[in-house]
Amino acid sequence: MDLEFSPADIAFREEARAFIAENYPAHLRAKADEGEELAKEDFLAWHRILAEKGWVAPAWPTQYGGPGWTTTQRYIWSEELARADTIPIMPFGINMVGPVIYTFGTAEQKARFLPRILSGDDWWCQGYSEPGAGSDLASLRTRAVRDGDHYIVNGQKTWTTLAQHADWGFFLVRTDPDAKQQEGISFLLIDMKTPGITVRPIITLGGEHEVNEVWLEDVRVPVENRIYEENKGWTCAKFLLAHERTGIAGVARSKRGVERIKTIARAEMDGDRPLIANAFFKRKIAELEMDLTALEFTELRTLASEAAGRGPGPESSLLKIKGTEIQQRLTELALEAVGHYGAPYFRGFPTGDNATPIGPDYAHRAAPTYFNGRKTSIYGGSNEIQRNIIAKMVLGL
């Protein structure tokens, strides 16, 4: 594997860095610095700038609106976004359902949905997890019964990220209750404004409204909104999850996270010395950097495999496990570094609580980020499930 960047790659890095510097909205950086919760329009502001440039979907084929970048250019782009500390592009449309549609969808479905995913006109959510069907996703119970040219859908989804903003959702539903678990599932695209859909907020430990419960009661969905064959939705689900797990690794942003912790540790004091001079804390950072370097090379091998025409395989489970473990260790170190400033606030407490941030700016989001990060080892298929996949598909056990 050649790890040297070509002159063309170096020129692309300079172009990408200049574009971000000139076009990333200043108000988004200010909100992030203040630790403010981002609204739908905040997420879409950066999305639309990239869409206009033609850079919002780096991995998409050119015939569907991708920029035609090489694997190396995509890697450089992710590094530059992390370096500039930009907000992430919401993955549900661009990275998740979009590839499913252009891989398994009909010509009509591609023409209808892909342009609006690229432009940001449609915000998507993911209807996978249910009470009792999270890690064991194939146990899902939401039912879709055929009624002429429609399905009638009933059931409940949970942990549905940002569904309060969603125009559309992609849902796994059971269309054959008598088939084996994975063989009776279909993949439906559902307009979230359809009568019978109720979205209820779940407030997280960090005090944020990020996830929801979604209830579906006699929701009528046109059959033309089914992707791929009836009862073959598990094929789409596995394809989507492999792409999701690869993206979850987040190597570039974790590298930025390590630098941020070093900055905090240089500012915070441990007695009469900076925290970063503490041998125990310094060892934790060093161990984190070594694991992150190993993960980066694993990601590069995966990207090289994709460049050779092979999609993400079971190795995406390795990326998911190590990537999320590193992300959680980063939030733990940040919380440890800021010390008592990391004490969480309590929503609704009377005067005297610490709902108003105290301490240095870098401490404001330490506790909410720590709590929010507990989910990473669960979503996209829990890390325990990923270890089972590795045992079966990689080690042949």
Side-chain angles (χ1 to χ4, degrees):
M1 183 169 60
D2 185 2
L3 298 179
E4 296 295 327
F5 290 117
S6 69
D9 292 332
I10 293 171
F12 173 76
R13 183 187 292 279
E14 292 173 353
E15 180 186 6
R17 187 172 297 183
F19 177 81
I20 295 170
E22 293 168 6
N23 293 279
Y24 188 67
H27 76 277
L28 294 183
R29 191 170 305 288
K31 275 196 162 185
D33 290 345
E34 290 297 322
E36 294 184 31
E37 196 166 339
L38 297 176
K40 179 177 182 178
E41 284 306 312
D42 295 325
F43 286 108
L44 289 176
W46 183 222
H47 181 120
R48 287 172 175 144
I49 290 169
L50 294 177
E52 185 175 350
K53 178 70 173 175
W55 286 6
V56 77
W60 284 27
T62 52
Q63 65 264 40
Y64 301 123
W69 289 344
T70 64
T71 303
T72 303
Q73 286 175 318
R74 286 162 47 192
Y75 176 76
I76 290 171
W77 175 243
S78 69
E79 281 203 320
E80 290 305 309
L81 290 175
R83 176 183 175 276
D85 209 14
T86 63
I87 63 170
I89 296 299
M90 285 294 100
F92 308 106
I94 294 293
N95 297 334
M96 296 167 74
V97 75
V100 170
I101 293 173
Y102 67 62
T103 302
F104 297 99
T106 64
E108 292 75 17
Q109 289 169 336
K110 294 173 188 176
R112 179 182 179 187
F113 293 108
L114 295 180
R116 293 180 64 84
I117 291 174
L118 282 176
S119 65
D121 289 338
D122 288 336
W123 180 294
W124 288 78
C125 67
Q126 180 184 32
Y128 270 30
S129 295
E130 299 180 4
S135 299
D136 184 15
L137 185 58
S139 295
L140 63 91
R141 301 174 63 182
T142 294
R143 286 278 283 123
V145 178
R146 188 74 175 261
D147 179 24
D149 57 358
H150 282 74
Y151 290 103
I152 309 300
V153 182
N154 283 280
Q156 179 191 358
K157 299 293 181 178
T158 192
W159 308 121
T160 314
T161 302
L162 300 175
Q164 69 270 32
H165 301 320
D167 303 294
W168 284 84
F170 50 95
F171 287 76
L172 291 180
V173 297
R174 187 161 299 285
T175 40
D176 184 352
D178 300 321
K180 291 182 180 179
Q181 275 192 333
Q182 289 89 350
E183 295 177 1
I185 293 172
S186 296
F187 191 102
L188 297 184
L189 310 182
I190 300 181
D191 185 339
M192 294 297 287
K193 296 182 290 298
T194 308
I197 296 178
T198 303
V199 178
R200 297 174 182 167
I202 300 173
I203 303 302
T204 63
L205 281 172
E208 299 151 326
H209 177 194
E210 181 180 279
V211 290
N212 302 271
E213 292 178 315
V214 177
W215 296 81
L216 304 105
E217 185 177 1
D218 294 331
V219 177
R220 294 183 65 82
V221 181
V223 171
E224 66 187 27
N225 287 6
R226 188 194 68 231
I227 299 292
Y228 202 42
E229 300 174 29
E230 186 173 89
N231 298 325
K232 299 295 183 184
W234 192 248
T235 300
C236 302
K238 287 191 299 181
F239 174 87
L240 185 149
L241 285 170
H243 281 265
E244 181 184 7
R245 288 167 189 153
T246 304
I248 288 173
V251 171
R253 292 195 181 273
S254 288
K255 289 168 71 175
R256 172 69 177 163
V258 170
E259 294 306 312
R260 188 179 296 113
I261 287 175
K262 287 181 179 177
T263 300
I264 296 173
R266 291 188 188 99
E268 290 295 314
M269 300 301 290
D270 176 33
D272 58 355
R273 299 184 304 170
L275 178 60
I276 203 166
N278 180 300
F280 294 104
F281 196 84
K282 191 159 43 177
R283 185 182 69 187
K284 291 178 183 178
I285 295 178
E287 290 172 345
L288 195 55
E289 285 192 298
M290 286 188 287
D291 284 351
L292 187 53
T293 299
L295 179 65
E296 182 176 21
F297 280 94
T298 303
E299 183 180 51
L300 288 170
R301 283 197 297 271
T302 303
L303 293 174
S305 176
E306 285 189 53
R310 298 184 293 274
E315 64 271 19
S316 64
S317 295
L318 294 169
L319 293 172
K320 200 274 177 176
I321 293 171
K322 290 305 295 183
T324 55
E325 287 179 349
I326 287 172
Q327 290 161 27
Q328 290 182 340
R329 285 163 61 190
L330 279 167
T331 64
E332 291 162 10
L333 269 187
L335 197 58
E336 181 179 339
V338 302
H340 56 274
Y341 292 131
Y345 77 89
F346 295 94
R347 288 183 305 113
F349 255 47
T351 303
D353 72 346
N354 58 345
T356 302
I358 58 173
D361 291 347
Y362 55 69
H364 295 172
R365 296 287 302 166
T369 302
Y370 168 84
F371 286 123
N372 194 285
R374 300 306 93 190
K375 69 187 179 188
T376 61
S377 54
I378 300 172
Y379 64 32
S382 73
N383 286 6
E384 289 76 12
I385 294 294
Q386 303 316 306
R387 290 188 175 90
N388 286 342
I389 293 173
I390 293 167
K392 183 177 180 181
M393 304 298 291
V394 178
L395 302 177
L397 299 176

